Amino acid sequence: MAREQGTKVIARNKKARHDYHILDTWEAGIVLSGTEVKSLRQGRASLVDGFAQEYRGELYLEGVHIPEYSQGTWTNHAARRRRKLLLHRDELRKIFAESQESGHTIVPLELYFKDGKAKVEIALAKGKKLYDKRQTLRERQDTREAQRAMSNAFKRGRS
């Protein structure tokens, strides 16, 4: 059987970029059972309520919903179980040190297959206040309006 090449995105956490300031990101492997992998290959997962937490010196992903595999039997997995993340020891130390600061959390941004292996992109994030969210939306809207105005001016100038 031929090996998979490239990247196939399974799930993105769009809400994380809206609710948090992303400070730093890492790519981590993830320990999965067989039925979880099959369910992910069908493109079914949700990162919305997910977060990472230290447990016994390791980093675990919690709150991520991978639904049960439809053709699974009694060996099916629990949909929201704790899943271990695979990172180098020095990366773990850095993440643990930075996440101890007040207001910092570790959130998953993206779940994907990279060359046939399941990976998750995690980020060290700091929560936004309501006025920060409004300001981000306002900036995005202003840039969109500026792009639209420049596009219209360019179209008028050509004719």
Side-chain angles (χ1 to χ4, degrees):
M1 192 166 144
R3 288 186 56 104
E4 279 188 47
Q5 296 294 318
T7 304
K8 178 187 172 196
V9 176
I10 300 159
R12 281 197 174 97
N13 191 353
K14 295 176 187 174
K15 192 174 179 183
R17 295 197 187 271
H18 180 262
D19 291 341
Y20 299 100
H21 292 288
I22 305 300
L23 305 175
D24 203 357
T25 61
W26 294 273
E27 178 183 74
I30 185 169
V31 177
L32 299 171
S33 67
T35 55
E36 287 175 318
V37 175
K38 290 180 179 188
S39 186
L40 287 177
R41 289 209 187 276
Q42 292 178 338
R44 302 170 61 205
S46 174
L47 300 175
V48 173
D49 296 329
F51 62 96
Q53 185 174 10
E54 179 186 6
Y55 180 73
R56 296 184 181 173
E58 298 287 343
L59 193 63
Y60 286 87
L61 193 61
E62 300 190 35
V64 171
H65 185 263
I66 300 176
E68 289 186 352
Y69 182 56
S70 57
Q71 281 85 35
T73 59
W74 57 272
T75 58
N76 242 338
H77 63 278
R80 290 195 184 269
R81 74 177 186 90
R82 178 184 288 166
R83 296 170 180 93
K84 185 177 178 180
L85 296 179
L86 304 172
L87 290 156
H88 290 283
R89 179 63 50 196
D90 57 331
E91 290 176 326
L92 284 174
R93 278 193 209 109
K94 183 177 180 184
I95 291 170
F96 293 156
E98 290 180 3
S99 67
Q100 295 302 317
E101 294 180 33
S102 179
H104 288 106
T105 187
I106 305 164
V107 294
L109 297 178
E110 199 171 69
L111 185 62
Y112 53 93
F113 282 108
K114 184 177 181 182
D115 297 332
K117 294 181 172 69
K119 304 282 185 180
V120 63
E121 183 180 14
I122 58 172
L124 181 69
K126 183 172 179 145
K128 286 184 180 178
K129 304 285 186 207
L130 184 61
Y131 56 84
D132 289 334
K133 293 178 191 178
R134 283 193 211 119
Q135 181 180 358
T136 304
L137 289 173
R138 194 174 304 118
E139 288 171 0
R140 192 177 303 143
Q141 184 179 3
D142 291 344
T143 57
R144 196 175 300 132
E145 287 174 2
Q147 288 291 333
R148 194 176 298 129
M150 288 179 8
S151 175
N152 289 341
F154 181 71
K155 287 178 185 175
R156 275 189 243 122
R158 290 178 64 191
S159 42

